[in-house]
């Protein structure tokens, strides 16, 4: 059976160029980057070149990039790092109701440690309200963390405006840009971003590696104690091959950004138009503009998206339900709940996220099968 992969928001296939670049670091350039001999220096050089490429992708300085184990670790490091560093200045953090669990669960943990968290509301398209943000700031506020783009409905938040508000009040501004990096033009200097999380496996790099950007001069408590790697901020022998892969993926993402955005928009818009033409009783979730170009989220009313996913799986289609409903987690999606969807709309939500390897022909196959399966499930 052929594979039709439409879950690029969950993860992406590693590009061949990325894999080729990584391979020598497994069994040729295998030295521990902290050692002194030539083999170690080669590995160290691979890491430093990658740092430069990641910095380039987001307009940061090389020394502002810290390699970590994943996007979740970058988020944990940002939140806990700022919280612990500044706990004698204040204990209040502002975030949103639609963040990824990497942020929300970390916030819950920090609440148990005595921090107070404000969770901003979003409107029916997933945008925060800047006045609500302004009004939530107190003298104890030490951090604002708002995601760059939402992973379920693709909403791109007003990042520059948020950064400005944070700057006026001298509060650190962090953004979880795991979904946005490689899909949106980002320049941390121009946009006023203080900290940013990114993850390699969302941009055609390997899994198990990510990066945290921290503006020079911002102090944060280290998250993993141990050796002196990553300028004493993240202990552990580096995942050299993974970091090199992230570097290559970042280089390619920068090179292809404009074309990538246009291609993703084309496929996404074609998909939505075809759904509208072929399937009745639907609701498109999330905004039309200020949205990730490869993201779509549509509720098929009267259908349980989990049943639909199983049917699609049988014909080789990989997609994702807009809701977090799994057999072990019956909680409906916190994002779709926050934008005000009713339970039937949440239950029927299907997230299709496009990537570089998708074609128009694949979208035709998807539409043909969606039409058939939805008809069947609606009885
Ligand atoms: N933040 C967002 C918005 C995400 O979409 C994800 C992953 O889906 C993460 C954080 C976590 O990234 P990782 O899987 O690298 O831990």
């Amino acid at each position: 059976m052929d594979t039709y992969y439409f879950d690029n928001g969950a993860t992406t296939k590693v590009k061949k160029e990325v894999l080729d670049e990584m391979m020598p670091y497994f069994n040729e350039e295998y030295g521990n980057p902290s050692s002194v001999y030539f083999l170690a220096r080669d590995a160290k050089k691979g890491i430093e070149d990658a740092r430069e490429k990641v910095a380039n992708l987001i307009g940061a300085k090389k020394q502002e990039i810290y390699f970590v184990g994943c996007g979740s670790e970058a988020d944990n490091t940002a939140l806990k790092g700022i919280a612990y560093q500044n706990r004698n200045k204040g204990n209040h953090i502002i975030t949103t109701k639609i963040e990824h669990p990497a942020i929300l669960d970390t916030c819950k943990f920090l609440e148990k440690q005595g921090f107070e968290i404000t969770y901003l509301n979003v409107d029916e398209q997933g945008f925060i309200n800047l006045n609500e943000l302004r009004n939530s700031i107190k003298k104890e506020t030490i951090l604002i963390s708002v995601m760059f783009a939402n992973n379920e409905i693709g909403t791109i938040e007003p990042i520059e405006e948020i950064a400005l508000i944070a700057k006026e009040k001298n509060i650190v501004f962090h953004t979880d840009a795991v979904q946005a990096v490689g899909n949106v033009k980002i320049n941390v200097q121009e946009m006023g971003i203080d900290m940013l999380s990114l993850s390699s496996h969302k941009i055609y790099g390997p899994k198990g590696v990510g990066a945290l950007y921290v503006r020079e001069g911002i102090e944060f408590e280290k998250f993993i104690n141990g050796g002196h790697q990553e300028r004493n901020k993240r202990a552990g022998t580096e995942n050299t091959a993974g970091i090199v892969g992230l570097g290559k993926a970042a280089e390619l993402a920068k090179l292809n950004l404009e074309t990538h955005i246009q291609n993703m928009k084309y496929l996404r818009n074609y998909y939505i138009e075809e759904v509208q033409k072929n399937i009745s009783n639907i609701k498109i979730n999330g905004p039309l503009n200020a949205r990730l170009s490869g993201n779509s989220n549509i509720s098929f009313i009267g259908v349980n998206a989990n049943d639909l996913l199983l049917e699609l799986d049988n014909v080789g289609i990989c997609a994702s339900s807009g809701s977090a409903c799994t057999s072990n987690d019956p909680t409906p999606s916190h994002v779709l709940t926050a934008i005000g969807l009713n339970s039937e709309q949440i239950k029927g939500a299907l997230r299709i996220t496009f990537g570089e390897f998708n074609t128009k022909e694949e979208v035709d196959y998807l539409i043909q099968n969606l039409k058939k399966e939805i008809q069947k499930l609606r009885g």
Side-chain angles (χ1 to χ4, degrees), residues 9-11 69-75 98-103 147-152 176-180 197-202 206-210 351:
T11 195
C70 54
S72 300
E73 190 188 322
D75 285 342
I98 62 163
E99 298 294 314
H100 187 272
I103 295 288
M147 71 198 320
F148 204 116
N150 183 265
N151 44 306
E152 288 191 37
D176 173 346
V178 166
Q179 292 286 334
S197 304
L198 64 91
S199 180
S200 159
H201 73 103
K202 309 284 186 184
K207 292 164 186 58
V209 56
R351 181 184 78 163

